[in-house]
Amino acid sequence: MQLLIEAGNTYVKVAQLFESGKFELLGRYPRRKLEMVLEPLLEKGIHRIVFASVGPVEVDNSIQRIAQLANIPVMQVKTLRKDFGVKNAYSEYQYLGVDRWLTLVAIRQKFKKPTVIIDIGTALTFDVLAEDGKHLGGWIAPGYQLMMQSVLENTCKVFSDREHGECITFSDNTADGLKNGCRAALIGLSNTV
Ligand SMILES: Nc1ncnc2c1ncn2[C@@H]1O[C@H](COP(=O)(O)OP(=O)(O)OP(=O)(O)O)[C@@H](O)[C@H]1O
Ligand SMILES: CC(C)(CO)[C@@H](O)C(=O)NCCC(=O)O
């Protein structure tokens, strides 16, 4: 069994890949919980850890260290210039986030059609893939939480609450106004492509 880890800017996602090809998502965890989550898992017959990270280097080091202590080989996946039928649009190819690269590769494997990938995580990313596997570039914008946070941190009287729905109606109160406004911005951006 292999352990697959994707370290993002908000969460670290952990999954198991069995010999049969079956895949099971174990969960997503805040970065600070990584060691606590990984250590018990490594006692379960893991023969390799494969990870990709767009987080701080401390997370990469922490995964390497935990694997080393448990004597398990570890492989860090990096962004490539060209492989798996995808050609990276970046002239300095290594600067394209590995999460974006892996999504391009996965989409190419599955569809082989012109595709716009919209990924709403900490950041909102767009990546355009042509039919022949050529990556035509993309956009990076703030995700929902980041968008709200930037307004909250730079105003005195705007506030929010913990409820999150799917509404984009015009609002008659501050919290809904902010949440609906940020959702509408994400939708508007997505509709521009
Ligand atoms: N339904 C939702 N309502 C409000 N905020 C959400 C919702 N889903 C996710 N978020 C927020 O969006 C951000 C990204 O979360 P998400 O888990 O979707 O992305 P991610 O792919 O894990 O991001 P990263 O890979 O950068 O860690 C977080 O700040 C999260 O709290
Ligand atoms: C844009 C994010 C934060 C999305 O997770 C990540 O892919 C990243 O850190 N990318 C590096 C910069 C780039 O892709 O151009």
Side-chain angles (χ1 to χ4, degrees):
M1 182 171 51
Q2 300 188 61
L3 204 62
L4 311 181
I5 304 174
E6 198 249 286
N9 280 292
T10 306
Y11 294 112
V12 179
K13 279 74 82 181
V14 182
Q16 280 171 299
L17 179 64
F18 296 92
E19 302 291 336
S20 63
K22 198 180 137 232
F23 170 89
E24 188 189 349
L25 183 66
L26 294 171
R28 55 176 206 176
Y29 312 94
R31 281 204 299 258
R32 66 190 145 73
K33 296 229 165 120
L34 186 61
E35 300 207 5
M36 210 176 79
V37 167
L38 286 189
E39 271 163 7
L41 281 175
L42 299 185
E43 288 160 16
K44 289 203 296 162
I46 306 282
H47 71 263
R48 186 164 78 146
I49 296 175
V50 180
F51 80 97
S53 169
V54 294
V57 72
E58 289 75 23
V59 172
D60 308 4
N61 293 342
S62 173
I63 296 171
Q64 299 273 10
R65 195 180 53 247
I66 297 167
Q68 208 171 9
L69 284 173
N71 211 11
I72 296 173
V74 59
M75 179 179 136
Q76 179 167 13
V77 180
K78 298 262 175 89
T79 300
L80 300 174
R81 185 190 301 281
K82 191 177 176 192
D83 213 340
F84 308 106
V86 182
K87 185 168 182 302
N88 188 331
Y90 277 30
S91 48
E92 297 188 83
Y93 68 92
Q94 66 276 22
Y95 290 116
L96 178 76
V98 68
D99 53 349
R100 299 172 65 190
W101 170 250
L102 290 175
T103 308
L104 285 162
V105 167
I107 293 293
R108 171 74 188 158
Q109 298 291 311
K110 207 167 161 88
F111 299 113
K112 299 202 171 49
K113 287 193 176 144
T115 309
V116 177
I117 302 166
I118 304 178
D119 189 339
I120 311 182
T122 309
L124 170 68
T125 57
F126 291 75
D127 281 289
V128 185
L129 191 58
E131 187 154 17
D132 61 359
K134 195 165 181 231
H135 172 222
L136 304 180
W139 289 339
I140 304 170
Y144 178 62
Q145 294 288 349
L146 268 187
M147 224 183 262
M148 290 210 294
Q149 205 177 313
S150 67
V151 178
L152 292 169
E153 284 174 5
N154 291 285
T155 56
C156 297
K157 294 185 176 157
V158 181
F159 58 88
S160 189
D161 60 32
R162 290 180 174 275
E163 280 161 41
H164 295 281
E166 289 177 10
C167 199
I168 56 161
T169 50
F170 294 123
S171 311
D172 57 6
N173 64 82
T174 305
D176 287 342
L178 177 65
K179 291 180 293 181
N180 295 4
C182 292
R183 272 196 290 269
L186 294 181
I187 294 167
L189 197 57
S190 308
N191 288 340
T192 318
V193 182

